[in-house]
Amino acid sequence: MQTTDLPPAWEPGAVEAGLYQGWVDAGYFTADAASDKPPFTIVLPPPNVTGSLHMGHALNHTVMDALTRRRRMQGYEVLWLPGMDHAGIATQNVVERQLAGEGLSRHDLGREKFVARVWEWKAEYGGKILDQMRRLGDGIDWTRERFTMDEGLSRAVQTIFKRLYDDDLIYRAERIINWCPRCRTALSDIEVEHADDEGELVSIRYGDGNSAIVVATTRAETMLGDTAVAVHPDDERYRHLVGTEVVLPLTGRRIPVVADEHVDPAFGTGAVKVTPAHDPNDFEIGRRHALPSLTIMDVAGVITAHGPFEGLDRFEARPAVVAALRAEGRIVAEKRPYQHSVGHCSRCDTVIEPRLSLQWWVNVEPLARAAGDAVRDGRTQVHPPELAKRYFDWVDNMHDWTISRQLWWGHRIPVWYGPDDQVVCVGPDEQPPTGEGWSQDPDVLDTWFSSGLWPVSTLGWPDDTADLAKFYPTSVLSTGYDILFFWVARMMMFGLYAMAGVQPFDHVYLHGLIRDAQGKKMSKSRGNVLDPLDWLDRFGADATRFTLARGANPGSDMALAEEWAAGSRNFCTKLWNASRFALMNGATTAVPVPDRADLTDADRWILDGADALVSEVDTLFEGFQFAKLCDALYHFTWDLYCDWYLELAKVQIAEGGARADATRAVLGHVLDVVLRLLHPVTPFVTEVLWKSLTGKESVVVTDWPVPSGAVADPGAGRRVEGVQKLVTEIRRFRADQGLKPGQRVAARLSGVDTAGLAEHQSAVTALARLEAPGEAFAPSASLEVPLADGTVTVELDLSGTVDVAAERKRLNKDLTAAEKELAQCAAKLGNPKFTDKAPDDIVAKIRTRRDTATAEIARITARIAALPAG
């Protein structure tokens, strides 16, 4: 037996960092724009500079790394381009909190010094997620790392703004936006998280007598800004009021009753209050009916309306307004608690306030139409295809996008205002206007504006760079389906606009969200958050990655549990131990595999299986079916190669001669294929094992396996399956007899030739722990095993091999348990209250348990009866 220099156990923590740095130093991940290889490009969805690796990142990075590693092995020029997002609100909040600890605010520093302070923070603390990505094994081209605020990307942002502005696709207008009173800025839809909050629903009577009309609201304080009451035009209850006016309580103002089709007559009273300055639907009603918009709160959410409520915070004003209305007899009904969906700022959890505000907007209609067309005509393919409908629902009905943010950290809007209401938009190569009365717009652009340019700006756009020519359009965008509507749509719009209709990516792969083992959303409040950094420490990168990839079905959420990571670690250990065993038994790739005609059934069977595996994994990779391809790799590696072929090969090698040499070659060849196929998902353990097996440079840059082209031998497969079934049945019978796993038993096999297993009898004998019968062989037990080509009878001499008293005691214990199970199932099934009310699937499970218990009782009873007396 040969030896191997592999350590006895796989210890990922001892080798991962060194392996990774070796790959980087060797330049394996550095792309060459001058290469004549076909390109394969992925631009990393840029994590926030404030971010830390979470399970969603780990899943997405595993997917992207697997895709790029495979393409690199297939001979593509692979660019996986990294970078970070400046994360306007999140980063500004971090630095403002830091300043608050020093007793300062950003206003104490002023804009210029505050921005300088953010850059200092970024240099010292930002981007720790990049180091965590290295721990995961990301095969990224670190020489091309980008940042959304670097010089090149800032130039791209200013260029696209100028072009959109000149094409009348950017404009400034007063509209309703999401406003965070704490962050004091507008928010995009994706920066708002909705939660069911407990509040109250108050019904208020406006007007009196025949002109009275009742409206319901969860935000009573906004009634101070009402400028109308709206009803549906077909609602007979209020038709006599349309066109009249009612007195708005507490204010004395008279407001009209208008008819609008937006109103749902079946909801509540069928009448709604209209506050155009503080509700997006009301704003649209106001536009249709030329209603005035009254802003009754300032940027901090403090009431500015005249009267006793002025100066109150919105949440202080709410009960005060209700109390005042109650005192006037205007409250018709109050429902509390009342659960309703409320938007919160995703950065600080403050309840957002819809607010009428002067902001910059993108006219998305032509851009969104182009983004829809690119998917409809197949330039970009969505995986899974059924999620394309969600994409179309979004881009076909997209509202104009507010892009200005009232922050200091971010890309400053390149617009200058001058005397006499002059407005000048300045491109990156133009000088801004100077002189008295000129000032730049104080707002910055939404973070999604710059990240929407990511696929083109990171490759050098607007300049005609070698990277842009080689690597655009990018090959795959991998991201969660939850930001399909936001980031993906914005990149499609900007990429198509900037690159004259050329799509930013050929494929969009959408994975699901990660949930806990019970399918619940992970949250700190539930205490069910799993930390990938903890998994990397405890289980290693390969086990973490394999667990995530094995759960990644396109578009579907993934349940995740720690024990699954432990199972993946066991898989890596199994692969390690099996590889050491193969190497110690002489597995080699130094000599070619002999012709199939010169090989055994077991050799041909495993080679055919390896060919089929290569084809299956290729198909699944192309369809982004990561869960299925991992299952295929797991099943072949563990069940076929490790559990069966290694044992069969051991028997063949022991025979010596040409058969042993051929088996060593097959053993090494199949292990080589398995390691290469597994490498994209489990890069570290496969690197160590593959180099030990082949003595070559690195599996990272070796060739991806391809099927051998040999004609499969179904007969060999059928006969090996016969061996598997025969050995399994003998092992089961031995266990039933109470034999220890390593205990050898004299046995005689008949019918082996008829079943086509003549050449496999030595393997069956070895694997089933049998020995040849002697002259005094007296069989005391037998079993028949039907196989595809015939039945094999196995006779065994069990005399002296079983402790009859101990076996009887064990079987009686098992019989008692089976009888108890049967009684419990029978009691349930005999109870009409259970069978009539329980779900059908539950009743079916109980029936199955009953039938299983019945069969167990019969089996155990027969075993007890067959035991010798004593």
Side-chain angles (χ1 to χ4, degrees), residues 129 162 344 456 863:
I129 191 173
K162 171 69 172 173
H344 294 251
V456 294
R863 279 286 302 119

Side-chain angles (χ1 to χ4, degrees), residues 135-156:
R135 290 196 58 194
L136 194 63
D138 286 4
I140 277 176
D141 185 349
W142 294 106
T143 68
R144 286 176 165 85
E145 182 184 336
R146 304 306 300 267
F147 180 53
T148 49
M149 289 279 286
D150 70 28
E151 183 178 352
L153 269 64
S154 296
R155 173 180 168 81

Side-chain angles (χ1 to χ4, degrees), residues 351-666:
V351 174
I352 65 106
E353 192 66 42
R355 174 180 171 80
L356 185 63
S357 181
L358 182 63
Q359 303 284 345
W360 285 94
W361 302 81
V362 173
N363 172 12
V364 299
E365 193 278 329
L367 302 173
R369 185 173 62 250
D373 291 344
V375 173
R376 286 189 172 93
D377 64 26
R379 279 173 286 163
T380 295
Q381 296 179 38
V382 175
H383 306 269
E386 56 267 24
L387 285 186
K389 182 181 183 301
R390 290 196 199 181
Y391 176 80
F392 295 136
D393 287 345
W394 178 253
V395 297
D396 293 347
N397 300 283
M398 192 182 293
H399 300 295
D400 283 2
W401 168 22
T402 174
I403 56 172
S404 45
R405 299 289 179 269
Q406 289 64 55
L407 304 170
W408 287 356
W409 173 245
H411 294 99
R412 189 90 173 260
I413 289 178
V415 171
W416 272 255
Y417 306 109
D420 303 322
D421 297 325
Q422 292 171 278
V423 179
V424 175
C425 180
V426 177
D429 300 317
E430 301 171 350
Q431 291 296 319
T434 57
E436 187 175 349
W438 285 96
S439 63
Q440 187 176 0
D441 192 299
D443 290 351
V444 300
L445 287 163
D446 177 11
T447 295
W448 296 97
F449 190 92
S450 53
S451 60
L453 280 170
W454 192 248
V456 294
S457 61
T458 53
L459 296 174
W461 186 90
D463 298 326
D464 186 15
T465 64
D467 276 1
L468 193 64
K470 176 72 174 180
F471 297 112
Y472 188 93
T474 68
S475 306
V476 178
L477 171 72
S478 174
T479 189
Y481 66 70
D482 54 324
I483 59 172
L484 169 65
F485 318 120
F486 303 103
W487 187 46
V488 178
R490 283 157 171 72
M491 287 191 291
M492 287 290 286
M493 291 191 301
F494 278 3
L496 291 162
Y497 176 80
M499 296 299 291
V502 179
Q503 71 280 5
F505 4 80
D506 297 331
H507 300 271
V508 174
Y509 166 69
L510 300 166
H511 59 73
L513 308 181
I514 294 181
R515 301 183 181 275
D516 70 10
Q518 286 70 46
K520 295 178 181 177
K521 184 177 180 181
M522 289 189 185
S523 68
K524 291 180 181 178
S525 62
R526 287 196 179 102
N528 62 350
V529 174
L530 296 173
D531 183 358
L533 301 175
D534 173 56
W535 280 23
L536 291 172
D537 288 338
R538 295 165 56 203
F539 306 118
D542 292 321
T544 300
R545 292 163 60 113
F546 195 79
T547 304
L548 292 165
R550 202 175 181 191
N553 288 300
S556 299
D557 288 351
M558 177 197 308
L560 202 60
E562 185 174 295
E563 54 264 33
W564 301 338
S568 295
R569 178 187 57 194
N570 293 343
F571 175 66
C572 293
T573 298
K574 181 82 169 182
L575 177 66
W576 181 268
N577 292 338
S579 298
R580 288 186 81 247
F581 177 84
L583 288 169
M584 287 190 291
N585 279 276
T588 181
T589 58
V591 296
V593 174
D595 290 341
R596 295 288 177 101
D598 299 327
L599 298 176
T600 66
D601 280 347
D603 295 335
R604 291 195 293 273
W605 164 74
I606 199 67
L607 288 171
D608 289 347
D611 278 346
L613 180 66
V614 172
S615 298
E616 182 180 10
V617 168
D618 276 334
T619 299
L620 294 171
F621 252 120
E622 295 300 323
F624 302 95
Q625 296 284 350
F626 296 97
K628 291 181 180 178
L629 73 88
C630 285
D631 274 343
L633 288 166
Y634 181 96
H635 168 71
F636 182 89
T637 303
W638 190 302
D639 298 340
L640 304 188
Y641 186 77
C642 297
D643 279 357
W644 283 105
Y645 183 69
L646 282 181
E647 295 300 322
L648 294 167
K650 187 177 180 181
V651 175
Q652 294 178 177
I653 290 171
E655 295 176 3
R659 171 172 286 191
D661 291 339
T663 299
R664 292 186 181 100
V666 173

Side-chain angles (χ1 to χ4, degrees), residues 600-606 640 644-645 648 652 713-728 755-757 759-760 763-764 767 787-789:
T600 66
D601 280 347
D603 295 335
R604 291 195 293 273
W605 164 74
I606 199 67
L640 304 188
W644 283 105
Y645 183 69
L648 294 167
Q652 294 178 177
D713 183 350
R718 186 176 65 254
R719 289 186 291 273
V720 171
E721 288 171 4
V723 171
Q724 291 174 313
K725 182 177 180 181
L726 180 57
V727 170
T728 299
L757 301 186
E759 77 167 68
H760 299 288
V764 173
L767 298 183
L787 304 176
D789 296 325

